[in-house]
């Protein structure tokens, strides 16, 4: 008697740090489980901030491959043994590794790659990611399909790799979930977020050059000269000490807090008077969508790619040039006195 095996989808990532891609993978896993799929989360190295959010029904596969060069043969072995119907890889260089592993395994698994950032920005700001476009150009045609998280990223993928634009599926990240609204109602201990306190400006993201929190702090210092308010940034990263030092030098340290990574940023975000994204580049900008969902006024740099798409050319939030401190400060001051736009 033939027994029909449950459909299995594998999600492949290098690590599981506290970034937007990892949160998207958790949401995807939950969605696939609800659709009746078995889900494997395949990681080069396990652990990380979002580990506790992985549903218990998801099987976590540890490739024990701290270096990318070790991952390809181990992923190939997994594909030969488990034979999932689909493997979805995310970001460089896991996309290239997934494609190579599929062909080495000679199995039936369909491999899809997903791009979450644009190539020019990666190449300009991250080393050795300047080789990302070349690697994609050589390997992506061997994948069963490519997914981009925004129209801008899809166009960029086509332009930089020659991958046919008609074969690139644009799928926005699954960001808004019922859990988001539940988490947004959770209490926050810090007194800054209690009723009657001065307005709080929020920034969320890894403390790295891409997010350009230096510009946000400078802009907040300008706002602070005119209004009693506070700035809170959620996230970890190598720029922590630099940002604290900058706040001290600008004389705003008493109104500035770096609260690190939190499993539930929505409890803070929902109580903010304004959310500011100062990124130099993005692939989409998940947190902009989350802020809008929580009815928080947003100010964002008009960076490549995503914010202009999300904000509908400025209809749902304020778009400012990248690095423009004065424009960001003006946007924050305006947001304090204007309700968040709601699409009828």
């Amino acid at each position: 008697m033939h027994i029909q095996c449950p459909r299995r989808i594998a999600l492949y990532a290098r690590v599981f740090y506290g970034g937007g891609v990892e949160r998207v993978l958790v949401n995807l896993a939950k969605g696939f489980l609800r659709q009746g799929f078995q889900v494997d989360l395949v990681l080069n190295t396990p652990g990380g901030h979002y580990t506790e959010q992985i549903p218990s029904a998801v099987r976590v596969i540890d490739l024990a491959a701290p270096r990318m060069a070790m991952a390809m043969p181990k992923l190939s072995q997994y594909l030969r043994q488990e034979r999932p119907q689909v493997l979805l890889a995310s970001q460089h260089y896991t996309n290239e590794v997934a494609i190579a592993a599929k062909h080495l395994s000679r199995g039936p698994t369909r491999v899809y790659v997903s791009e979450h950032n644009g190539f020019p920005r990666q190449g300009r700001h991250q080393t050795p990611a300047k080789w990302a476009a070349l690697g994609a150009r050589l390997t992506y045609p061997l994948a069963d399909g490519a997914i981009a998280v925004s129209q801008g990223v899809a166009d960029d993928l086509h332009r930089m790799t020659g991958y046919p634009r008609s074969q690139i599926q644009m799928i926005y990240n699954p960001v808004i979930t019922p859990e988001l609204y539940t988490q947004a109602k959770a209490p926050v201990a810090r007194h800054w977020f209690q009723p009657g306190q001065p307005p709080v400006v929020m920034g969320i993201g890894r403390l790295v050059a891409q997010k350009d929190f230096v510009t946000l702090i400078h802009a907040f210092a300008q706002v602070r000269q005119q209004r009693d308010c506070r700035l809170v940034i959620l996230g970890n990263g190598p720029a922590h000490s630099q940002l604290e030092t900058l706040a001290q030098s600008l004389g705003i340290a008493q109104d500035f807090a770096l609260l690190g990574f939190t499993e539930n940023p929505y409890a803070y975000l929902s109580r903010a008077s304004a959310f500011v994204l100062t990124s130099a580049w993005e692939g989409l900008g998940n947190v902009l969508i989350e802020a809008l969902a929580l009815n928080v006024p947003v100010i964002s740099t008009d960076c490549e790619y995503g914010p202009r798409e999300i904000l509908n050319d400025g209809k749902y939030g304020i778009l400012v040039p990248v690095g423009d401190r004065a424009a960001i400060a003006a946007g924050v001051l305006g947001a304090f006195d204007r309700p968040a736009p709601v699409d009828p």
Side-chain angles (χ1 to χ4, degrees), residues 100-234:
K102 183 264 177 73
H103 287 274
L104 181 64
S105 72
R106 300 188 178 184
T109 300
R110 296 176 63 83
V111 171
Y112 291 83
V113 296
S114 60
E115 276 297 339
H116 292 256
N117 271 303
F119 286 98
R121 294 299 182 181
Q122 286 182 332
R124 197 174 305 155
H125 294 282
Q126 299 178 15
T127 302
K130 62 183 180 180
W131 304 110
L134 176 60
R137 189 178 302 120
L138 295 174
T139 60
Y140 282 20
L142 301 177
D144 291 288
I147 298 168
V149 300
S150 67
Q151 294 289 355
V153 169
D155 293 339
D156 188 63
L157 175 60
H158 165 66
R159 181 173 61 251
M160 296 301 295
T161 68
Y163 196 97
R165 181 63 179 84
S166 61
Q167 296 181 25
I168 301 172
Q169 296 293 313
M170 196 288 294
I171 304 176
Y172 289 127
N173 287 330
V175 175
I176 306 305
T177 66
E179 292 85 356
L180 181 147
Y181 297 102
T182 301
Q183 290 178 288
K185 296 176 182 177
V188 173
R190 192 175 183 92
H191 74 278
W192 284 8
F193 293 88
Q194 302 307 313
Q197 293 294 313
V200 175
V201 180
M202 286 285 301
I204 300 176
R206 291 256 304 150
L207 308 184
V208 292
Q210 174 190 359
K211 303 302 181 180
D212 193 14
F213 287 125
V214 168
T215 290
L216 176 56
I217 293 173
H218 276 285
F220 174 77
Q222 296 181 26
V223 174
R224 187 64 185 81
Q225 292 175 354
Q226 302 183 51
R227 289 286 297 270
D228 184 16
C229 57
R230 289 155 173 163
L231 173 63
V232 170
I233 297 176
L234 302 179

Side-chain angles (χ1 to χ4, degrees), residues 207 237-248 256 258:
L207 308 184
H240 189 281
S241 297
Q242 175 196 2
L243 299 179
E244 284 192 329
T245 300
L246 176 60
Q248 289 280 358
F256 171 64
L258 286 170

